[in-house]
Amino acid sequence: MKILVCISKAPDTTSKIAFTDNNTAFDKNGVQFIINPYDEWYALVRGLELKEANGGSVTILNVGGADNDPTIRKALAIGADDAVRINMEPTDALGVAKQIADYAKENAFDMVLCGKETIDYNGSQVGGMVAAFLDQPFVSNASKLDMVGNTATIERDIQGGKEIIEVDTPFVLSAAKGMAEARIPNMRGIMAARTKPLQVVEPSAFENTSEVASYELPPAKGACKMVSADNPAELLELLRNEAKII
Amino acid sequence: MSILVYANTAINKVHKSAFEAVSYGAQIAEKSGDKVTAVVVGNADNLDSLGKYGADNVVHVTSDKLDDFQPNLIAEAMQKAAADNNSSIIIFSHDLSGKSIAPILAAKMNAGIVTGAVDLPQTDGDFIVKKAVFSGKAYAHVKINTATKIISLTPNALEKKEFNKSASIESKSYELADSRLKVKEQKIQSTDLPLTEAELVVSAGRGLKGPENWGMIEELAKALGAATACSRPVSDMDWRPHHEHVGQTGVAIRPNLYIAIGISGAIQHLAGVNQSKVIVAINTDPEAPFFKAADYGIVGDAFEVVPKLVEAAKAMNHD
């Protein structure tokens, strides 16, 4: 079973969000970068579990510059076999998806796994786009994935509940909570990751279909208005007459 | 030219978020003069209401291949509808269905896309859409460079405007590829309003001490006409169903009012709720981080405060 796991680099959840260059660029100063949690905890770990149970390989794919290599090495330390970095600063999801699809087309994977969204751009775009470029079925927001032969049984989130579906390989899946438990790399994994293959591939040509023109921080929150615990009814008065929302 | 809107349905109804998406399209059309076409896949008994929120016509796609949720095939149908209607802007709701279909369509049409829009696009000069990024901690203004533009709208982000048009309804059966995805079983946990579309949400956390204490939370929600939600530990311990979990790994919501009871306000939880218009925190600990993100707060024991709130809410309903 040949599995491709797409990972994105994202600022740690607790990072302070600030912008530079006249609010056109994210301020990376002092920011700790991690593997996007949905890509790591759910897509990568489930991919590794399937490989451990059925044999095969897990390849990591990232689109980014050389400064992403430590993040990619972490994915290798968790247990992936090899990695590919497409050497391009990502600008929009369609461009990233095209690079992923071009690589996946040449290397025939049984499945392409990614997280349901990144915690920085919150797009939920790349998985569906890769599926479209590869002309493969797309299963989004999956919370369980089991394989019997070439057939996957997948639980996916739908409006108001869940659905169990079946699909044959190849397919593209975006992973949500429930797929797997996060793994912490051990020392052996970290040592092994240093020598695992990380191939750098130059991107194919494409044109940006969208780009961030500027960023904006929300207005600072005013002080929290406190209501006495002895008279909670006052809270409802405030919500009705001051905030006017009930 | 036209603006095409995917109107999501569930259990024989066009969704509230779909009406928001139609109204969003109609507000863009007010400036551009375009026609607004709503596309509905599957059965719904409230198609007439689409005109109320601004659809000029409704294309009802009928195909037995679309009985189950098939994102690839719906994207294919949307592409055909876009060609039929000469559509330059295509709108989805940024809900679980829009998140599946819109990116497929963007790739098929090589169209620039912004998902999770929170405001109308700016169309003087460049076409720029505002969206929340960094899990609600900032906004990005994203420029779309292509002639065809796809936008998905965050549910409950904008007030839906009424246009009171009477939309003509036309059935279409498109030739679609065979589906490669088979639905075996559906587990609909709730037929109520999905959490992402609720305007008022009452949420509780570990401070409630056990699932047996949720009665008062449900009562408060009922008295306010609100949906219920919970924090991650509560859903992890199975005190409450998984689909109620809001936060970084659960669902992100944007209600008009979010009442957090017995939730400390960890950054991962706030990431899922910080876009709420008004936040209320009720917690025994005056140092709970939630008070920094809240507009209103009560320092007190939920077991004393919530029953009083329920009484007050009931009294208010009788006024």
Side-chain angles (χ1 to χ4, degrees):
Chain A
M1 199 171 289
K2 250 180 104 181
I3 302 172
L4 183 68
V5 177
C6 308
I7 63 165
S8 175
K9 184 181 82 170
D12 181 76
T13 318
T14 54
S15 306
K16 184 178 177 325
I17 304 301
F19 303 103
T20 58
D21 297 342
N22 204 15
N23 285 329
T24 57
F26 175 60
D27 186 358
K28 294 179 181 170
N29 203 0
V31 169
Q32 167 105 29
F33 283 93
I34 56 172
I35 306 173
N36 180 50
Y38 298 108
D39 305 342
E40 179 192 327
W41 302 344
Y42 306 133
L44 170 58
V45 177
R46 189 61 195 145
L48 293 172
E49 288 170 353
L50 288 175
K51 180 195 101 168
E52 286 154 8
N54 304 297
S57 61
V58 173
T59 299
I60 295 294
L61 191 147
N62 171 262
V63 177
D67 55 339
N68 285 10
D69 287 350
T71 310
I72 298 170
R73 291 278 174 210
K74 189 186 167 197
L76 293 170
I78 294 170
D81 298 285
D82 59 345
V84 177
R85 178 169 60 79
I86 297 177
N87 191 24
M88 173 188 104
E89 278 308 322
T91 46
D92 79 338
L94 208 55
V96 169
K98 188 172 178 299
Q99 302 305 330
I100 295 171
D102 284 351
Y103 177 81
K105 255 179 215 162
E106 280 175 25
N107 294 278
F109 291 93
D110 293 301
M111 64 187 84
V112 179
L113 309 180
C114 60
K116 68 165 179 160
E117 65 179 275
T118 57
I119 60 167
D120 51 2
Y121 191 73
N122 303 109
S124 301
Q125 296 182 7
V126 170
M129 291 169 170
V130 171
F133 285 132
L134 295 176
D135 190 25
Q136 289 178 9
F138 177 47
V139 185
S140 58
N141 285 282
S143 48
K144 274 191 188 134
L145 162 64
D146 291 299
M147 296 298 300
V148 176
N150 292 329
T151 304
T153 302
I154 301 170
E155 185 177 84
R156 68 177 173 188
D157 293 339
I158 54 167
Q159 265 346 352
K162 286 179 180 296
E163 208 168 61
I164 295 169
I165 62 148
E166 261 181 25
V167 63
D168 289 340
T169 56
F171 58 84
V172 179
L173 173 147
S174 81
K177 188 191 168 196
M179 281 284 265
E181 294 291 332
R183 281 187 188 180
I184 296 162
N186 57 27
M187 193 42 80
R188 226 177 97 208
I190 295 166
M191 297 301 286
R194 291 186 187 169
T195 51
K196 283 179 179 172
L198 195 173
Q199 184 194 351
V200 179
V201 176
E202 289 308 313
S204 54
F206 77 101
E207 265 178 52
N208 260 347
T209 56
S210 69
E211 58 200 273
V212 173
S214 64
Y215 292 100
E216 178 191 336
L217 290 170
K221 199 98 185 167
C224 179
K225 199 169 204 169
M226 301 309 289
V227 173
S228 159
D230 299 327
N231 187 20
E234 192 196 337
L235 173 69
L236 298 184
E237 292 295 328
L238 287 167
L239 293 176
R240 172 165 285 185
N241 300 320
E242 189 177 83
K244 298 191 194 315
I245 42 165
I246 59 168
Chain B
M1 300 281 261
S2 82
I3 293 173
L4 197 70
V5 184
Y6 174 71
N8 179 27
T9 61
I11 321 167
N12 283 329
K13 292 273 180 224
V14 175
H15 252 270
K16 180 187 163 220
S17 61
F19 292 129
E20 288 176 359
V22 168
S23 173
Y24 183 82
Q27 289 176 67
I28 299 172
E30 271 188 311
K31 272 177 93 178
S32 65
D34 291 324
K35 193 182 78 166
V36 179
T37 302
V39 179
V40 177
V41 172
N43 293 322
D45 56 19
N46 57 345
L47 289 183
D48 298 344
S49 314
L50 287 163
K52 182 177 170 191
Y53 294 106
D56 294 293
N57 66 322
V58 177
V59 174
H60 187 202
V61 180
T62 52
S63 162
D64 50 9
K65 289 180 183 171
L66 295 175
D67 287 349
D68 294 325
F69 180 56
Q70 303 281 357
N72 296 66
L73 301 193
I74 298 172
E76 201 183 328
M78 284 296 286
Q79 188 175 13
K80 290 182 197 268
D84 280 358
N85 291 279
N86 191 20
S87 308
S88 54
I89 300 176
I90 305 170
I91 309 214
F92 289 84
S93 173
H94 192 53
D95 55 18
L96 285 170
S97 57
K99 285 176 187 177
S100 300
I101 306 160
I104 300 178
L105 186 63
K108 284 168 88 85
M109 299 181 76
N110 193 39
I113 175 171
V114 177
T115 52
V118 294
D119 205 347
L120 286 165
Q122 176 203 310
T123 52
D124 310 320
D126 291 333
F127 191 99
I128 292 180
V129 186
K130 182 177 176 180
K131 80 177 296 278
V133 290
F134 296 102
S135 304
K137 285 183 272 190
Y139 296 102
H141 298 267
V142 185
K143 185 173 139 222
I144 301 183
N145 298 330
T146 48
T148 304
K149 298 164 175 73
I150 301 178
I151 305 171
S152 72
L153 173 67
T154 300
N156 210 41
L158 284 177
E159 195 90 13
K160 54 183 188 296
K161 213 170 134 182
E162 293 185 13
F163 289 83
N164 297 316
K165 297 179 188 171
S166 70
S168 57
I169 299 171
E170 164 201 15
S171 278
K172 264 273 184 235
S173 97
Y174 290 119
E175 190 80 20
L176 300 174
D178 282 329
S179 162
R180 287 166 285 182
L181 195 151
K182 286 187 284 287
V183 173
K184 295 305 223 188
E185 190 188 338
Q186 263 195 354
K187 300 189 237 175
I188 299 293
Q189 283 146 320
S190 146
T191 52
D192 302 339
L193 195 62
L195 204 44
T196 48
E197 294 178 29
E199 286 168 15
L200 310 176
V201 174
V202 177
S203 184
R206 240 184 318 197
L208 268 280
K209 297 193 167 69
E212 66 280 7
N213 297 323
W214 246 263
M216 62 181 186
I217 300 297
E218 283 171 348
E219 252 189 285
L220 179 61
K222 197 174 161 214
L224 292 170
T228 52
C230 68
S231 64
R232 177 172 183 162
V234 166
S235 97
D236 281 355
M237 292 183 288
D238 283 330
W239 292 2
R240 296 297 289 176
H242 157 80
H243 67 89
E244 278 199 2
H245 163 205
V246 292
Q248 179 99 68
T249 48
V251 286
I253 57 171
R254 197 191 163 91
N256 298 344
L257 172 63
Y258 183 74
I259 303 183
I261 300 167
I263 303 175
S264 63
I267 198 153
Q268 291 82 354
H269 183 77
L270 294 179
V273 302
N274 56 13
Q275 294 276 301
S276 308
K277 291 182 189 97
V278 174
I279 294 176
V280 174
I282 300 173
N283 207 295
T284 46
D285 177 8
E287 300 299 319
F290 228 130
F291 288 116
K292 289 202 175 65
D295 301 280
Y296 299 98
I298 296 179
V299 176
D301 185 348
F303 294 95
E304 284 162 29
V305 173
V306 177
K308 286 184 193 166
L309 273 178
V310 172
E311 287 316 309
K314 282 181 180 165
M316 208 173 222
N317 290 342
H318 288 302
D319 285 350

